[in-house]
């Protein structure tokens, strides 16, 4: 695969870049270049933001369309994405190492489902309501679109996380500048082609792949009304500071270090729950923000839990991302592997007991592979239990009783995801409700598009998905009559 692009998708057309800078995406499984695209700089961001501004401000334009008319465009876009499903899988998996089977579910089917869900909300939600006034007369409350959105997305789920922003923004009547991460740019061009094919009006969605500097210029751009960001906590803090100064609304989906709490009655038969455990602790080579990477195990069954996770991690087929048999692919970049390996070294140095993995898999000399790794005898105060590793590395931490498990789970700088494993779903739900986190599951975890997703503490601000995710792209306008 060699894919070369020399334009950006701005204002409904293919526009030449303003500089000769390029991004060369690399195949995470082979370390070979996959193609070349232009790298956006401040002037390109400016062109895209200007186009989004004009599209938003045009009288009778997108922002003022009846929501059902916007829904029709969104449904056409979902169809255009579906028609490119195979190509999305190939491009995403090659670039970021996501196993193709995961990409098929979460990077094509899931984004178009999110888009159709918000199209339905656009059809069914009341955008205006009229209330009798307390002192006579009536009051009209209109949910107006917030304006031009800067959507800044990371490389780990580039299409799903872009759609968490694009779909509600379109439903609300906003226009967008989407800035993909430099690691995942080729899928962004497929999305641009789908946008063009679906007849999304010019300027409503503009896409400029670029790095941090151009991203920062987008955050602060005078034409932008709202920033929606997914990425690391340090970048989120930097963006929030700028938005604070500008009084610009911002949504932040940041890192996590969630707990997977195994209760004393939990089933540990991997034939029954292995898939669920895998999906909630190791999905996408551990490069998933909501994973329960701190496994909390009751002391009475500690050895059993360590053995179960050791067996699970040791049983996973490691291989190139595009191989349909692969359960664990390479990490997205050389830098990401260095980071993960430095945490594994820190775990060893702190005296944690390595029960499986810890190195690079044999026979895979190219590609940024790391073995699925489990550490036992970990204290919740150690670096590998406190910081987000963003790789296939689990820590198993013992607890005394349920109160102790809840205390350890809540003793974290983050609060994004989590799971509780038990044979008694009601007991599991009662424990889950005590965890300080934005989302949590009992015996399963998958962000459901109908419900708000997001974090507390250092995991972020605001929510995406669900009807709540739509209100983040609206502002109420009140008219007393
Ligand atoms: P990153 O924060 O370095 O980059 C994310 C995106 O932001 C990229 O597009 C990058 O170019 C851009 N960016 C970085 N600094 C910026 C700035 N100051 N101004 C504007 N744009 C800027 O993160 P990453 O390494 O690409 O992604 C991995 C991180 O993202 C992990 O920590 C992970 O937990 C987090 N993440 C969180 C969620 C979530 O929903 N909570 C989802 C996925 C990833």
């Amino acid at each position: 695969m060699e894919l070369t692009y020399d334009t950006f998708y701005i204002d409904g057309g293919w526009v030449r870049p303003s500089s000769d800078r390029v991004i060369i995406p690399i195949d995470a499984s082979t370390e070979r270049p996959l193609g070349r695209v232009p790298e956006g700089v401040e002037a390109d961001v400016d062109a895209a933001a200007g186009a989004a501004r004009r599209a938003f401000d045009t009288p009778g334009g997108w922002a003022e369309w009846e929501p059902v008319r916007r829904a029709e465009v969104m449904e056409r876009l979902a169809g255009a994405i579906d028609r490119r499903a195979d190509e999305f899988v190939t491009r995403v998996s090659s670039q970021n190492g996501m196993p193709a089977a995961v990409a098929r579910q979460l990077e094509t089917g899931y984004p178009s489902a999110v888009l159709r869900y918000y199209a339905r909300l656009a059809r069914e939600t009341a955008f205006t309501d009229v209330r009798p006034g307390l002192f006579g007369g009536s009051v009209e409350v209109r949910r107006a679109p917030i304006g031009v959105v800067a959507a800044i997305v990371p490389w780990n789920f580039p299409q799903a996380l872009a759609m968490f922003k694009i779909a509600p923004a379109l439903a609300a009547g906003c226009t967008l500048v989407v800035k993909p991460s430099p690691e995942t740019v080729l899928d962004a061009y497929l999305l641009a082609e789908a946008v063009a094919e679906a007849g999304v009006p010019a300027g409503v969605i503009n896409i400029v792949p670029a790095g941090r500097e151009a991203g920062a210029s987008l955050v602060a751009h005078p034409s932008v009304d709202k920033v929606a960001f997914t990425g690391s906590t340090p970048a989120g803090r930097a963006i929030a500071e700028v938005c604070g100064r500008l009084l610009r609304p911002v949504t932040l989906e940041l890192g996590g270090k969630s707990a997977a709490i195994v209760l004393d009655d939990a089933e540990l038969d991997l034939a029954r729950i292995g898939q669920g455990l895998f999906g909630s602790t190791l999905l996408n080579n551990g490069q998933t923000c909501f994973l329960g990477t701190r496994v909390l195990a009751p002391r009475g069954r500690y050895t059993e839990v360590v053995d179960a996770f050791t067996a699970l991690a040791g049983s996973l087929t490691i291989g190139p991302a595009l191989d349909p048999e692969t359960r664990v692919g390479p990490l997205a970049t050389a830098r990401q592997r260095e980071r993960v390996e430095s945490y594994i070294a820190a775990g060893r140095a702190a005296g944690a007991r390595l029960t499986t993995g810890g190195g690079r898999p044999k026979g895979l000399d190219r590609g940024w592979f790391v073995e699925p790794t489990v550490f036992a005898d970990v204290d919740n105060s150690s670096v590998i239990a406190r910081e987000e590793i963003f790789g296939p590395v689990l820590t198993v931490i013992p607890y005394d009783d349920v109160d102790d498990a809840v205390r350890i789970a809540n003793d974290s700088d983050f609060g994004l995801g989590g799971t509780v494993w038990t044979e008694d779903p009601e007991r599991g739900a009662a424990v889950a409700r005590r965890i300080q986190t934005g989302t949590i599951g009992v015996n399963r975890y998958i962000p459901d598009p109908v419900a708000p997703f997001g974090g507390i503490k250092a995991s972020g601000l605001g929510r995406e998905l669900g009807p709540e995710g739509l209100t983040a792209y609206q502002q109420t306008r009140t008219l007393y009559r």
Side-chain angles (χ1 to χ4, degrees):
M1 183 166 71
E2 260 288 336
L3 292 161
T4 302
Y5 292 90
D6 56 9
T7 52
F8 297 118
Y9 188 71
I10 295 175
D11 211 5
W14 300 97
V15 174
R16 310 287 306 178
S18 66
S19 83
D20 55 8
R21 287 170 65 162
V22 294
I23 295 171
I24 300 188
I26 307 288
D27 188 324
S29 303
T30 64
E31 302 179 33
R32 289 202 193 95
L34 286 162
R36 193 177 67 230
V37 311
E39 178 183 345
V41 298
E42 194 173 341
D44 305 303
V45 164
D46 186 53
R53 182 81 261 160
R54 285 192 301 281
F56 187 82
D57 291 342
T58 302
W62 178 256
E64 293 176 18
W65 281 19
E66 286 299 322
V68 292
R69 202 174 154 202
R70 292 199 294 265
E72 282 162 17
V73 173
M74 293 167 70
E75 282 154 2
R76 284 206 304 274
L77 178 56
I81 290 170
D82 288 346
R83 282 192 288 284
R84 290 166 173 78
D86 290 343
E87 193 65 6
F88 272 116
V89 171
T90 309
R91 293 193 189 189
V92 169
S93 293
S94 310
Q95 292 172 111
N96 74 0
M98 178 185 297
V102 176
R104 183 159 301 278
Q105 281 188 342
L106 297 179
E107 283 287 284
T108 63
Y110 191 96
S112 56
V114 169
L115 199 46
R116 289 194 175 93
Y117 168 73
Y118 276 106
R120 177 157 67 81
L121 282 193
R123 289 180 189 281
E124 294 173 359
T125 308
F127 282 71
T128 303
D129 74 272
V130 179
R131 305 167 192 176
L134 198 55
F135 309 114
S138 68
V139 182
E140 177 192 289
V141 179
R142 199 159 47 90
R143 300 194 174 280
I146 204 164
V148 174
V149 174
I152 298 178
V153 284
W155 43 261
N156 60 335
F157 288 91
Q159 287 301 311
L161 295 170
M163 200 51 79
F164 280 23
K165 300 159 182 57
I166 294 170
L170 293 181
C174 296
T175 62
L176 304 101
V177 178
V178 181
K179 191 206 79 63
S181 199
E183 293 81 2
T184 41
V185 291
L186 297 174
D187 54 300
Y189 279 85
L190 265 188
L191 177 64
E193 286 163 18
V195 168
E197 182 185 296
V200 178
V204 170
I205 301 179
N206 308 275
I207 304 178
V208 181
R212 281 165 188 233
E213 227 172 279
S217 77
L218 177 60
V219 168
H221 196 283
S223 286
V224 167
D225 298 304
K226 180 205 160 81
V227 177
F229 172 79
T230 300
S232 62
T233 297
R237 282 188 208 281
I239 288 169
E241 278 180 27
V242 174
C243 291
R245 184 160 45 75
L246 296 170
L247 297 180
R248 185 164 288 177
V250 59
T251 318
L252 304 171
E253 301 287 0
L254 310 176
K257 189 77 187 180
S258 302
I261 304 175
V262 180
L263 294 185
D264 53 10
D265 67 343
E267 166 73 73
L268 286 173
D269 176 5
L270 293 181
R272 263 191 63 201
I273 63 154
Q275 184 58 31
L277 279 185
F278 170 76
S280 60
T281 61
L282 287 161
L283 183 75
N284 192 20
N285 321 327
Q287 299 175 136
T288 310
C289 49
F290 59 67
L291 295 178
T293 49
R294 287 185 300 146
V295 178
L296 308 191
R299 279 193 200 280
R301 297 185 69 194
Y302 188 71
T303 306
E304 239 182 295
V305 175
V306 170
D307 288 350
F309 277 92
T310 303
L312 174 68
S315 71
L316 300 168
T317 306
I318 309 173
L322 290 180
D323 184 333
E325 299 301 314
T326 292
R327 304 285 305 287
V328 177
L331 297 182
T333 60
R335 186 173 62 100
Q336 188 67 16
R337 178 167 70 177
E338 271 168 37
R339 194 180 129 90
V340 170
E341 288 182 335
S342 76
Y343 277 112
I344 293 174
R348 287 180 198 264
R353 178 162 58 92
L354 189 68
T355 68
T356 186
R360 297 180 181 184
K362 295 198 178 46
L364 290 165
D365 302 329
R366 305 283 289 178
W368 297 300
F369 293 94
V370 173
E371 291 172 320
T373 298
V374 176
F375 279 110
D377 304 340
V378 177
D379 190 274
N380 194 51
S381 64
S382 69
V383 167
I384 56 166
R386 299 215 71 84
E387 295 184 12
E388 182 180 55
I389 297 175
F390 228 51
V393 182
L394 301 180
T395 56
V396 190
I397 301 168
Y399 69 80
D400 297 327
D401 55 20
V402 168
D403 286 347
D404 195 37
V406 170
R407 180 190 64 76
I408 296 169
N410 290 339
D411 178 14
S412 172
D413 295 335
F414 298 103
L416 182 58
T419 46
V420 181
W421 298 87
T422 172
E423 286 295 275
D424 179 348
E426 284 311 314
R427 180 177 175 229
V431 173
R433 289 188 195 102
R434 296 175 64 190
I435 307 307
Q436 292 158 7
T437 184
T439 61
I440 188 162
V442 177
N443 297 333
R444 66 192 280 263
Y445 186 100
I446 172 87
D448 193 314
V450 306
F453 171 79
I456 62 169
K457 299 193 266 186
S459 292
L461 283 180
R463 296 291 179 265
E464 297 187 306
L465 300 181
E468 295 81 0
L470 177 59
T471 59
Y473 293 89
Q474 296 173 317
Q475 60 194 184
T476 56
R477 303 279 183 82
T478 298
L479 174 65
Y480 312 112
R481 323 164 40 138

